[in-house]
Short mmCIF file of all heavy atoms in Angstrom, two decimals:
data_model
loop_
_atom_site.label_atom_id
_atom_site.label_comp_id
_atom_site.label_asym_id
_atom_site.label_seq_id
_atom_site.Cartn_x
_atom_site.Cartn_y
_atom_site.Cartn_z
N THR I 112 153.11 88.93 101.80
CA THR I 112 152.85 87.81 100.99
C THR I 112 152.30 88.07 99.62
O THR I 112 152.59 87.37 98.57
CB THR I 112 151.87 86.80 101.73
OG1 THR I 112 150.78 87.52 101.94
CG2 THR I 112 152.60 86.36 102.99
N CYS I 113 151.41 88.99 99.51
CA CYS I 113 150.72 89.36 98.19
C CYS I 113 150.21 90.81 98.19
O CYS I 113 150.23 91.42 99.21
CB CYS I 113 149.67 88.36 97.86
SG CYS I 113 148.44 88.24 99.17
N SER I 114 149.69 91.22 97.09
CA SER I 114 149.15 92.60 97.04
C SER I 114 147.79 92.40 96.19
O SER I 114 147.62 91.48 95.51
CB SER I 114 150.16 93.39 96.30
OG SER I 114 150.38 93.04 95.07
N LEU I 115 146.96 93.51 96.37
CA LEU I 115 145.76 93.51 95.67
C LEU I 115 145.99 94.32 94.34
O LEU I 115 146.50 95.41 94.26
CB LEU I 115 144.77 94.38 96.47
CG LEU I 115 144.30 93.77 97.82
CD1 LEU I 115 143.46 94.70 98.63
CD2 LEU I 115 143.45 92.44 97.54
N ILE I 116 145.48 93.67 93.30
CA ILE I 116 145.69 94.27 91.88
C ILE I 116 144.36 94.15 91.12
O ILE I 116 143.51 93.34 91.51
CB ILE I 116 146.80 93.58 91.11
CG1 ILE I 116 146.51 92.10 90.81
CG2 ILE I 116 148.11 93.78 91.73
CD1 ILE I 116 147.39 91.41 89.92
N ASP I 117 144.23 95.02 90.05
CA ASP I 117 142.88 94.99 89.32
C ASP I 117 143.15 93.94 88.20
O ASP I 117 144.29 93.36 87.94
CB ASP I 117 142.58 96.27 88.77
CG ASP I 117 143.59 96.84 87.92
OD1 ASP I 117 144.76 96.37 87.87
OD2 ASP I 117 143.41 98.01 87.28
N ALA I 118 142.09 93.55 87.60
CA ALA I 118 142.09 92.49 86.49
C ALA I 118 142.92 92.87 85.34
O ALA I 118 143.63 92.06 84.74
CB ALA I 118 140.71 92.22 86.17
N GLU I 119 142.94 94.21 85.02
CA GLU I 119 143.74 94.70 83.88
C GLU I 119 145.28 94.42 84.15
O GLU I 119 145.99 94.03 83.27
CB GLU I 119 143.48 96.07 83.54
CG GLU I 119 144.20 96.70 82.41
CD GLU I 119 143.83 98.12 82.05
OE1 GLU I 119 142.69 98.46 82.45
OE2 GLU I 119 144.80 98.82 81.68
N ARG I 120 145.71 94.76 85.36
CA ARG I 120 147.12 94.67 85.68
C ARG I 120 147.47 93.16 85.65
O ARG I 120 148.60 92.75 85.41
CB ARG I 120 147.43 95.23 87.05
CG ARG I 120 148.82 95.28 87.42
CD ARG I 120 149.11 96.08 88.63
NE ARG I 120 150.46 95.92 89.06
CZ ARG I 120 150.91 96.24 90.22
NH1 ARG I 120 150.10 96.66 91.18
NH2 ARG I 120 152.18 96.11 90.54
N CYS I 121 146.57 92.34 86.18
CA CYS I 121 146.79 90.83 86.17
C CYS I 121 147.03 90.41 84.71
O CYS I 121 147.84 89.48 84.46
CB CYS I 121 145.71 90.13 86.92
SG CYS I 121 145.84 88.41 86.93
N THR I 122 146.10 90.81 83.83
CA THR I 122 146.22 90.36 82.43
C THR I 122 147.54 90.90 81.79
O THR I 122 148.19 90.24 80.96
CB THR I 122 145.11 90.99 81.63
OG1 THR I 122 143.91 90.48 82.40
CG2 THR I 122 145.07 90.45 80.23
N LYS I 123 147.98 92.09 82.15
CA LYS I 123 149.31 92.56 81.64
C LYS I 123 150.46 91.82 82.11
O LYS I 123 151.46 91.68 81.47
CB LYS I 123 149.48 94.06 82.14
CG LYS I 123 148.63 95.05 81.41
CD LYS I 123 148.92 96.49 81.86
CE LYS I 123 148.04 97.43 81.06
NZ LYS I 123 148.16 98.90 81.54
N ARG I 124 150.31 91.10 83.27
CA ARG I 124 151.39 90.14 83.69
C ARG I 124 151.14 88.83 83.23
O ARG I 124 151.75 87.83 83.74
CB ARG I 124 151.41 90.25 85.23
CG ARG I 124 151.71 91.55 85.76
CD ARG I 124 151.57 91.63 87.36
NE ARG I 124 152.70 91.04 87.98
CZ ARG I 124 152.85 91.00 89.35
NH1 ARG I 124 151.79 91.45 90.01
NH2 ARG I 124 153.92 90.48 89.82
N TYR I 125 150.33 88.61 82.18
CA TYR I 125 150.00 87.32 81.52
C TYR I 125 149.32 86.33 82.43
O TYR I 125 149.61 85.22 82.39
CB TYR I 125 151.26 86.77 80.92
CG TYR I 125 151.92 87.68 79.96
CD1 TYR I 125 153.15 88.36 80.31
CD2 TYR I 125 151.35 87.95 78.76
CE1 TYR I 125 153.74 89.13 79.35
CE2 TYR I 125 152.02 88.74 77.85
CZ TYR I 125 153.11 89.44 78.10
OH TYR I 125 153.77 90.23 77.32
N GLY I 126 148.43 86.91 83.36
CA GLY I 126 147.78 86.08 84.31
C GLY I 126 146.26 86.25 84.01
O GLY I 126 145.74 86.98 83.14
N ASN I 127 145.41 85.61 84.85
CA ASN I 127 144.02 85.63 84.74
C ASN I 127 143.46 85.67 86.19
O ASN I 127 143.85 85.00 87.07
CB ASN I 127 143.36 84.38 83.99
CG ASN I 127 143.79 84.35 82.58
OD1 ASN I 127 143.55 85.31 81.90
ND2 ASN I 127 144.30 83.24 82.14
N CYS I 128 142.41 86.46 86.39
CA CYS I 128 141.71 86.49 87.72
C CYS I 128 140.69 85.35 87.82
O CYS I 128 139.70 85.43 86.93
CB CYS I 128 140.99 87.84 87.92
SG CYS I 128 142.14 89.16 88.28
N ARG I 129 140.88 84.35 88.68
CA ARG I 129 139.89 83.30 88.77
C ARG I 129 139.63 83.01 90.22
O ARG I 129 140.38 83.42 91.17
CB ARG I 129 140.64 82.09 88.20
CG ARG I 129 141.03 82.25 86.71
CD ARG I 129 141.38 80.92 86.22
NE ARG I 129 141.77 81.16 84.71
CZ ARG I 129 142.47 80.52 84.05
NH1 ARG I 129 143.08 79.49 84.52
NH2 ARG I 129 142.68 80.79 82.74
N ARG I 130 138.65 82.15 90.49
CA ARG I 130 138.31 81.71 91.84
C ARG I 130 139.41 80.68 92.34
O ARG I 130 139.78 80.71 93.52
CB ARG I 130 136.97 81.21 91.99
CG ARG I 130 135.81 82.21 91.82
CD ARG I 130 134.52 81.66 92.20
NE ARG I 130 133.47 82.65 91.88
CZ ARG I 130 133.03 83.48 92.75
NH1 ARG I 130 133.55 83.49 93.99
NH2 ARG I 130 132.12 84.36 92.50
N ASN I 131 139.84 79.81 91.43
CA ASN I 131 140.76 78.79 91.79
C ASN I 131 141.76 78.69 90.60
O ASN I 131 141.37 78.72 89.46
CB ASN I 131 140.05 77.40 91.97
CG ASN I 131 139.24 77.41 93.21
OD1 ASN I 131 139.49 78.00 94.17
ND2 ASN I 131 138.05 76.84 93.05
N CYS I 132 142.99 78.50 90.92
CA CYS I 132 144.01 78.30 89.96
C CYS I 132 143.95 76.90 89.46
O CYS I 132 143.69 75.93 90.22
CB CYS I 132 145.37 78.62 90.45
SG CYS I 132 145.61 80.42 90.85
N TYR I 133 144.37 76.65 88.20
CA TYR I 133 144.49 75.30 87.61
C TYR I 133 145.74 74.67 88.24
O TYR I 133 146.54 75.37 88.80
CB TYR I 133 144.58 75.33 86.13
CG TYR I 133 143.41 75.78 85.45
CD1 TYR I 133 143.33 76.76 84.45
CD2 TYR I 133 142.06 75.33 85.81
CE1 TYR I 133 142.29 77.28 83.86
CE2 TYR I 133 140.82 75.82 85.24
CZ TYR I 133 141.00 76.78 84.18
OH TYR I 133 139.86 77.13 83.56
N LYS I 134 145.91 73.31 87.92
CA LYS I 134 147.12 72.66 88.53
C LYS I 134 148.43 73.17 88.10
O LYS I 134 149.45 73.21 88.74
CB LYS I 134 146.91 71.17 88.23
CG LYS I 134 145.85 70.49 89.08
CD LYS I 134 145.77 69.01 88.77
CE LYS I 134 144.70 68.36 89.56
NZ LYS I 134 144.57 66.96 89.33
N LYS I 135 148.42 73.62 86.75
CA LYS I 135 149.67 74.15 86.16
C LYS I 135 149.81 75.62 86.27
O LYS I 135 150.57 76.21 85.56
CB LYS I 135 149.69 73.71 84.66
CG LYS I 135 149.76 72.17 84.44
CD LYS I 135 150.09 71.91 82.98
CE LYS I 135 150.35 70.53 82.78
NZ LYS I 135 150.67 70.13 81.32
N GLU I 136 149.17 76.25 87.21
CA GLU I 136 149.21 77.67 87.52
C GLU I 136 149.61 77.92 88.96
O GLU I 136 149.36 77.07 89.81
CB GLU I 136 147.84 78.39 87.23
CG GLU I 136 147.48 78.38 85.83
CD GLU I 136 146.16 79.06 85.56
OE1 GLU I 136 145.38 79.16 86.41
OE2 GLU I 136 145.93 79.56 84.50
N LYS I 137 150.10 79.04 89.25
CA LYS I 137 150.42 79.45 90.60
C LYS I 137 149.73 80.84 90.83
O LYS I 137 149.60 81.57 90.07
CB LYS I 137 151.93 79.53 90.84
CG LYS I 137 152.63 80.59 90.18
CD LYS I 137 154.08 80.69 90.67
CE LYS I 137 154.76 81.87 90.04
NZ LYS I 137 156.02 82.07 90.56
N GLN I 138 149.51 80.99 92.13
CA GLN I 138 148.90 82.39 92.60
C GLN I 138 149.97 83.34 92.72
O GLN I 138 151.05 83.06 93.39
CB GLN I 138 148.21 82.07 93.94
CG GLN I 138 147.61 83.41 94.45
CD GLN I 138 146.92 83.18 95.78
OE1 GLN I 138 146.72 82.11 96.14
NE2 GLN I 138 146.73 84.26 96.45
N ILE I 139 149.78 84.39 92.11
CA ILE I 139 150.78 85.60 92.24
C ILE I 139 150.30 86.80 93.04
O ILE I 139 151.03 87.38 93.73
CB ILE I 139 151.34 85.93 90.88
CG1 ILE I 139 150.24 86.39 89.89
CG2 ILE I 139 152.22 84.93 90.27
CD1 ILE I 139 150.72 86.97 88.59
N ASP I 140 149.06 87.00 92.92
CA ASP I 140 148.41 88.20 93.68
C ASP I 140 146.90 87.85 93.89
O ASP I 140 146.34 86.87 93.56
CB ASP I 140 148.60 89.46 92.88
CG ASP I 140 149.90 90.07 93.01
OD1 ASP I 140 150.50 90.10 94.11
OD2 ASP I 140 150.51 90.46 91.98
N ILE I 141 146.38 88.89 94.67
CA ILE I 141 144.88 88.75 94.94
C ILE I 141 144.20 89.91 94.07
O ILE I 141 144.61 91.03 94.03
CB ILE I 141 144.56 89.05 96.35
CG1 ILE I 141 145.18 87.80 97.20
CG2 ILE I 141 143.04 89.00 96.60
CD1 ILE I 141 145.07 88.11 98.70
N CYS I 142 143.11 89.59 93.34
CA CYS I 142 142.41 90.49 92.52
C CYS I 142 141.40 91.30 93.42
O CYS I 142 140.98 90.81 94.36
CB CYS I 142 141.68 89.84 91.38
SG CYS I 142 142.77 88.93 90.15
N PHE I 143 140.99 92.55 92.83
CA PHE I 143 140.09 93.33 93.50
C PHE I 143 138.65 92.58 93.52
O PHE I 143 137.83 92.91 94.35
CB PHE I 143 139.95 94.71 92.88
CG PHE I 143 141.05 95.65 93.25
CD1 PHE I 143 141.74 96.37 92.35
CD2 PHE I 143 141.39 95.85 94.60
CE1 PHE I 143 142.73 97.23 92.71
CE2 PHE I 143 142.37 96.69 95.01
CZ PHE I 143 143.12 97.49 94.00
N SER I 144 138.43 91.86 92.53
CA SER I 144 137.12 91.21 92.31
C SER I 144 136.91 90.24 93.61
O SER I 144 137.86 89.71 94.18
CB SER I 144 137.08 90.30 91.13
OG SER I 144 137.38 91.04 89.96
N VAL I 145 135.66 90.07 94.00
CA VAL I 145 135.29 89.27 95.09
C VAL I 145 135.84 87.75 94.98
O VAL I 145 135.44 87.18 94.03
CB VAL I 145 133.78 89.28 95.28
CG1 VAL I 145 133.37 88.46 96.56
CG2 VAL I 145 133.33 90.76 95.46
N ARG I 146 136.65 87.38 95.84
CA ARG I 146 137.09 86.01 96.01
C ARG I 146 137.76 85.51 94.70
O ARG I 146 137.66 84.40 94.28
CB ARG I 146 135.99 85.01 96.37
CG ARG I 146 135.32 85.21 97.60
CD ARG I 146 134.19 84.32 97.92
NE ARG I 146 133.61 84.51 99.06
CZ ARG I 146 132.55 83.88 99.60
NH1 ARG I 146 131.98 82.98 98.84
NH2 ARG I 146 131.96 84.22 100.78
#
């Protein structure tokens, strides 16, 4: 279903590591950061 990535890799994919996604965003992976 998903993989663990670091914040830098998430940013390179034009995403952001957050606790909750906004309504106009979708979850693509899980960050190494806690929750």
Side-chain angles (χ1 to χ4, degrees):
T112 57
C113 56
S114 60
L115 295 171
I116 61 171
D117 59 350
E119 183 179 326
R120 185 171 175 200
C121 181
T122 306
K123 285 182 182 176
R124 297 171 83 180
Y125 304 106
N127 294 309
C128 286
R129 300 187 179 157
R130 288 192 185 268
N131 296 316
C132 294
Y133 295 133
K134 290 182 180 180
K135 292 188 175 186
E136 293 180 333
K137 69 174 187 173
Q138 176 183 347
I139 54 173
D140 281 316
I141 299 174
C142 296
F143 282 130
S144 303
V145 178
R146 296 182 184 172

